[in-house]
Amino acid sequence: MELRHLLYFKTVAEELHFTKAAAKLFISQPPLSRQIKELEEELGAELFVRNNKRVTLTNAGKYFKAEVAALFAKLEENKEVVRKIHGGVSGELKIGYISSVYQSHLAEILKLMHREFPYLKTSLFEVPTLTQIKELEHGTLDVGILRAPVISEQLKVESLFFDPFVVVVPLTEQKINNQDELADFLKKSPFIFFNKDFAPQYNQKLIEICHRMGFSPDITHEANNVHSILQLVEAGLGVSILPLSLKRQYEQLKVAFIEFEAIPVNTEVVLAYKESNKNPALAWFIKHYAALKNNL
C-alpha cells in the first residue's frame, strides 16, 4: 500500500464520483478505478458500492475514510513542524523576568507559544533589572520583562503598562480611614524594602515616595524578592510599598493593599531585547506579550 493509494481513495470517498475524482487528481478514470481495486484487494474488503447511477461507501469504507482523513491531517501537522524546525524555531528562548511582575500573563503566553513552536524550549530566569540589562546586552538572555528605567544603548525597550505603587500592610492593620492616617501610620512603622544593592533604582524610588509623604522610612528588613517581602509583612514584621498588580498574584496572603490618593505614583513595566536578535520565536513573543498590555 502506497500513499498514492490512500490519496486516491480519499478523493473518491469525498467526491463519491470516479470521473470527478479522476479530474481532481489529474488522471484518467480507468487507472483510478484500477488503483482503488488494488487497494480493496490488499485490504480484503470492499470500500465502495458501484452502480451506473451512484457510488456509495460501504461500512468498511466509511471507517477507512475517517482513518485516512486522520492520517492525512497528522501528515500535514508533521509537515508544519518540519518547516518550523527548518526555520530555526527549535532551539531555546531565554526569558528574564522580575519577581514583582504578575506572572499569570507570562504563563498564558508560554502556553500559546508551545502550541505555535512545539519544539522550542523556553527557559525562565528570575533576575533583577540591572542584571537583566547586562545579560541582555551580552546575549545570555533573549528578552527581559523588567522595570524602567532601562539605561542601555544596545537594547530596544517597549512599554507594557504602568503599575501603581500601593502600601502593603498586615491584614490586621488595614483599618486606615484617610491619607493623613496612612501617613501617620507609615511614619511609625518599620519598613521592608528591596535590598539597595540588589535593586538600587527600585529602592531609591520607594524612599522618594516616603520623602514625598514627609518622612524617611525606618528600613528594618531587606529582601531580594517580592515573595519574601510579602511574607515578612504578613508575619507582622513591617510594611512595604509594592506594585498593585501583585495583589492578584498573592491574594492568599493575609495582607492588605492600600492605594495612595494624595500622591499617585507608579512604575513602568517594559520589555527589553536586542533588535539584532532575529530569532522568530522572539519576534512572536514580543508581539503577543505586548498585545496583553491592554488587559494588564
Side-chain angles (χ1 to χ4, degrees), residues 206-219:
L206 302 182
I207 292 174
E208 288 175 5
I209 292 171
C210 293
H211 286 171
R212 289 176 64 182
M213 296 184 73
F215 69 95
S216 294
D218 176 19
I219 302 173

Side-chain angles (χ1 to χ4, degrees), residues 65-209:
K65 178 186 177 184
E67 293 299 307
V68 169
L71 188 151
F72 273 93
K74 183 63 177 176
L75 181 61
E76 285 302 314
E77 180 183 329
N78 291 340
K79 285 163 62 178
E80 180 62 22
V81 170
V82 168
R83 282 193 288 268
K84 288 177 179 177
I85 293 174
H86 178 71
V89 193
S90 59
E92 180 181 12
L93 186 70
K94 293 164 288 188
I95 304 166
Y97 68 97
I98 50 178
S99 64
S100 58
V101 168
Y102 187 44
Q103 295 165 28
S104 172
H105 301 297
L106 179 56
E108 291 172 20
I109 289 298
L110 293 181
K111 288 178 183 178
L112 294 172
M113 175 168 272
H114 180 68
R115 290 199 289 267
E116 182 71 16
F117 307 113
Y119 286 86
L120 177 74
K121 176 185 176 182
T122 54
S123 298
L124 300 178
F125 303 91
E126 184 180 313
V127 186
T129 291
L130 291 182
T131 306
Q132 275 199 58
I133 293 172
K134 293 178 182 177
E135 294 190 1
L136 288 165
E137 289 177 339
H138 297 154
T140 310
L141 292 174
D142 293 301
V143 61
I145 304 165
L146 57 169
R147 294 190 184 273
V150 176
I151 303 171
S152 172
E153 295 181 356
Q154 299 181 41
L155 302 179
K156 181 175 176 59
V157 177
E158 294 191 15
S159 178
L160 289 175
F161 64 100
F162 288 89
D163 200 359
F165 279 118
V166 293
V167 177
V168 186
V169 302
L171 202 57
T172 55
E173 301 287 353
Q174 66 177 323
K175 294 180 181 179
I176 296 172
N177 298 314
N178 55 57
Q179 294 295 298
D180 289 336
E181 287 186 11
L182 176 61
D184 290 339
F185 171 75
L186 294 180
K187 290 175 184 178
K188 302 172 186 176
S189 300
F191 269 80
I192 306 163
F193 270 177
F194 280 96
N195 183 283
K196 61 184 177 182
D197 295 325
F198 183 80
Q201 293 173 336
Y202 201 100
N203 183 279
Q204 183 59 37
K205 181 72 172 178
L206 302 182
I207 292 174
E208 288 175 5
I209 292 171

